[in-house]
Amino acid sequence: MPNAARVAAHASRPVPSMRFRCPPSRRSPPMPDPNAHHVSSAVVITRPECMNAVAAEIAAMEATEVHAAESGRVIVVLEGKSAGELGNRLNAIAGINGVIAANMVFEQIIDTEAI
């Protein structure tokens, strides 16, 4: 049977029903650890002409530090109580006028009770 005929015969077969579906997860999301402190670094890529304004706007955010800004790149450290908090702040950074991309590079969770 030529390839074209084999492909056509296969394409015309009915799709088998999905009998083995996984049940929805019943687990609730994990509770945030009150002793956890999240620290993350990010690289923000900007339009070169907007870099200084973007860096100033990021520096004004709570629990966010600008460590360097050069050649359209801004190196940022974010701190917070959860990964979700850091992710929300990174999304806010990505929405600043002149930002091309904002990428989290590293995240560390510190147990404040152990310090």
Side-chain angles (χ1 to χ4, degrees):
M1 184 184 280
N3 260 352
R6 201 175 307 153
V7 170
H10 182 71
S12 65
R13 290 183 194 163
V15 177
S17 67
M18 302 294 285
R19 294 183 352 188
F20 301 105
R21 294 181 191 228
C22 294
S25 175
R26 298 204 193 299
R27 291 190 300 164
S28 58
M31 295 296 292
D33 182 355
N35 298 320
H37 184 73
H38 295 251
V39 179
S40 177
S41 62
V43 176
V44 180
I45 300 175
T46 70
R47 293 192 347 239
E49 67 273 13
C50 299
M51 184 189 69
N52 291 332
V54 168
E57 194 166 339
I58 293 170
M61 293 179 161
E62 186 176 332
T64 305
E65 298 176 30
V66 172
H67 282 270
E70 184 179 323
S71 303
R73 289 181 177 86
V74 182
I75 308 303
V76 180
V77 171
L78 307 111
E79 296 185 43
K81 295 180 182 179
S82 70
E85 182 181 328
L86 300 183
N88 290 340
R89 197 164 330 127
L90 192 63
N91 283 338
I93 290 170
I96 295 173
N97 189 29
V99 171
I100 296 170
N103 299 301
M104 196 172 285
V105 177
F106 175 80
E107 182 182 4
Q108 180 176 6
I109 303 170
I110 300 168
D111 182 2
T112 57
E113 194 172 72
I115 296 177

